[in-house]
Amino acid sequence: MIDLAQTVAQNASMGESVFFWILAPIALGGAMGLVLARSAIHAALMLAITMMCLAVFYIMQAAPFLGFVQIMVYTGAIMMLFLFVLMLFGRDSKDSMFETLRGQRLFAVLLGIGLAALLSSGLARAVSGMTIADDPRWATGAQSNVEAIAEALFSTYLFPFEVVSGVLTVAAVGALMFAHVAKKGGHRGQKEHSRERFAPGVYPGPKPGPGVFATSDSTATPALRPDGSIEPASLSAYVPPRQLTAAEAAPKHTEGRDA
């Protein structure tokens, strides 16, 4: 093991060594911050920092495809999506301290110890008697990184790849089921929404966007002044104005009313 570390250190250039000793503590600190952070947003940011450091490590090891996939897919897309959802919905939420399953903490500790022992034994068996092999085809230029990854993914690791894809699909469906909240009053279908929209006295025109104080977003609906009179600048020369109802034409003492 010591001989292998010395060989790797000798083959590494000065730039790789400098970048490694700069980014390795940052990656390790981000991983520790992910576990120790009390806020889910801080934990997501720490994980994003660790992923960025891993991407630089991939690029340093002549694997630019993996490095840019790590940046664009995992860090740029997936992690930022998680962070957006956490900041949008879970910023003020607090974790419940009530345990729904008895003994889950003890069970989690035992599973963690077993997983650590399994990984340590596998790693020790893998590195014992390790020898440096010849450069693979992708390192010598006979095969590109993408071809090498595709060959390994769809030949040697085909079964684990399919298992992981199935687990991720089940996890996504389970997350949707847990996040679904039934609304009060039951589910209303398209028929109920249509009847509500075309009810007597209700104008079925397009509704305005959020933050706009108006009864409709149609070009035929004129804007009203605070005294209830029609603003001439809001009238179209090509579309005839719609006749307002008594409720719409009533004076409204609200600033910023616009059609």
Side-chain angles (χ1 to χ4, degrees), residues 149-252:
I149 294 173
E151 181 180 354
L153 187 62
F154 294 103
S155 60
T156 306
Y157 301 101
L158 178 61
F159 181 72
F161 175 74
E162 296 295 337
V163 171
V164 170
S165 62
V167 170
L168 292 177
T169 304
V170 174
V173 175
L176 292 176
M177 295 297 296
F178 281 112
H180 175 72
V181 178
K183 297 182 179 180
K184 296 181 179 180
H187 176 70
R188 294 189 302 172
Q190 185 177 3
K191 183 185 295 184
E192 288 76 10
H193 286 287
S194 299
R195 289 179 177 177
E196 181 181 354
R197 183 173 180 178
F198 290 94
V202 179
Y203 177 63
K207 302 299 181 181
V212 179
F213 185 78
T215 57
S216 174
D217 200 20
S218 174
T219 308
T221 304
L224 301 181
R225 295 176 176 177
D227 58 354
S229 61
I230 296 177
E231 173 59 38
S234 65
L235 297 177
S236 175
Y238 305 98
V239 180
R242 183 176 63 87
Q243 297 295 329
L244 302 179
T245 62
E248 294 175 342
K252 302 292 184 179

Side-chain angles (χ1 to χ4, degrees), residues 2-168:
I2 298 177
D3 296 337
L4 177 62
Q6 292 177 353
T7 305
V8 173
Q10 292 175 359
N11 294 333
S13 62
M14 180 61 67
E16 293 180 357
S17 302
V18 171
F19 272 100
F20 174 79
W21 289 111
I22 292 177
L23 296 178
I26 299 177
L28 183 60
M32 296 178 62
L34 170 65
V35 179
L36 301 178
R38 295 181 177 270
S39 174
I41 297 178
H42 295 165
L45 291 174
M46 293 295 177
L47 182 57
I49 293 175
T50 304
M51 285 186 173
M52 292 293 293
C53 295
L54 291 178
V56 178
F57 290 154
Y58 290 149
I59 297 175
M60 289 168 51
Q61 297 300 318
F65 176 78
L66 289 179
F68 284 105
V69 167
Q70 180 79 20
I71 295 174
M72 293 185 293
V73 178
Y74 292 100
T75 308
I78 299 177
M79 279 308 305
M80 292 302 104
L81 179 61
F82 287 170
L83 184 61
F84 174 76
V85 173
L86 288 174
M87 296 184 69
L88 186 62
F89 297 105
R91 183 170 57 89
D92 298 329
S93 61
K94 297 181 179 180
D95 296 334
S96 177
M97 301 304 295
F98 179 75
E99 295 186 5
T100 57
L101 300 176
R102 295 182 178 179
Q104 61 178 353
R105 293 188 178 181
L106 178 61
F107 188 66
V109 171
L110 294 178
L111 283 180
I113 295 175
L115 180 61
L118 180 62
L119 294 177
S120 300
S121 61
L123 182 61
R125 183 177 180 182
V127 300
S128 60
M130 180 182 297
T131 57
I132 301 178
D134 297 333
D135 293 337
R137 289 185 297 169
W138 62 267
T140 58
Q143 187 182 28
S144 64
N145 291 339
V146 179
E147 294 175 351
I149 294 173
E151 181 180 354
L153 187 62
F154 294 103
S155 60
T156 306
Y157 301 101
L158 178 61
F159 181 72
F161 175 74
E162 296 295 337
V163 171
V164 170
S165 62
V167 170
L168 292 177

